[in-house]
Amino acid sequence: GVLIQRQTGLRISNREALRDQFVANYQTLRSSIWLGAFRPLGHAKKAPLPSIGEWAVANNAIWSATDPSYFRQTGRITVFLSNFPDDPEAELKLAAQEKGPITLLRSFGTLFPWRIQAGIPLAQPLLMFGELLRERDPMALEAAERIRAEYLAK
């Protein structure tokens, strides 16, 4: 198995196997947590994440995002939300768009940021890795490989 029961809890026995199982099944998981694709509106066009963060604080929502450096390069990012606003256009300053650059996914399990970078709560490396692999663009694959080497191969 990938997990081993210890007195102190579960321990990952094989990180590579866990990563491979996650990636193999991520598309199925993702389809069940999909909230939509969006584009930023108004003042949020250049910096949509602060608008999402403000909404999250005001609504006691927990959120995290994928790699902001990839967002700065491409304008595309995925955000995991613990709850979803009734009116994302008004509340998040986002408009639904079929292939919009901002993907919103409902969090699953216990969502907590992995760490905070420049005020942005980052998703766990495995989630970032799965999302970046989906992009299939050279910059995304490069960013995924960087995350794999730095955080998932240990």
Side-chain angles (χ1 to χ4, degrees), residues 1-146:
V2 175
L3 299 175
I4 297 172
Q5 180 70 45
R6 300 282 183 184
Q7 285 182 323
T8 57
L10 295 173
R11 187 177 141 275
I12 299 170
S13 65
N14 186 334
R15 287 185 180 275
E16 286 183 14
L18 178 62
R19 182 196 66 224
D20 294 346
Q21 284 180 15
F22 178 82
V23 170
N25 294 293
Y26 186 66
Q27 189 59 40
T28 302
L29 169 66
R30 192 177 191 273
S31 66
S32 67
I33 61 174
W34 171 264
L35 295 170
F38 297 84
R39 65 178 171 77
L41 295 172
H43 75 278
K45 283 185 179 178
K46 291 188 182 194
L49 296 180
S51 294
I52 294 170
E54 290 166 11
W55 175 85
V57 167
N59 290 278
N60 294 321
I62 300 170
W63 72 290
S64 63
T66 54
D67 188 357
S69 63
Y70 178 70
F71 173 72
R72 283 189 295 279
Q73 293 171 342
T74 67
R76 299 189 59 74
I77 197 157
T78 299
V79 175
F80 296 87
L81 292 169
S82 62
N83 42 343
F84 190 63
D86 294 329
D87 184 0
E89 189 164 323
E91 297 179 60
L92 297 177
K93 311 294 185 267
L94 299 175
Q97 183 178 29
E98 187 176 336
K99 296 195 186 279
I102 300 169
T103 299
L104 297 182
L105 299 175
R106 184 176 43 257
S107 65
F108 58 96
T110 304
L111 178 68
F112 55 92
W114 168 54
R115 66 180 188 194
I116 307 295
Q117 180 178 317
I120 305 299
L122 296 182
Q124 297 293 317
L126 197 53
L127 291 172
M128 287 194 279
F129 183 72
E131 280 298 305
L132 288 165
L133 286 179
R134 284 193 79 263
E135 291 288 325
R136 295 187 183 171
D137 121 335
M139 282 191 288
L141 295 176
E142 183 180 318
E145 178 53 31
R146 194 172 55 248

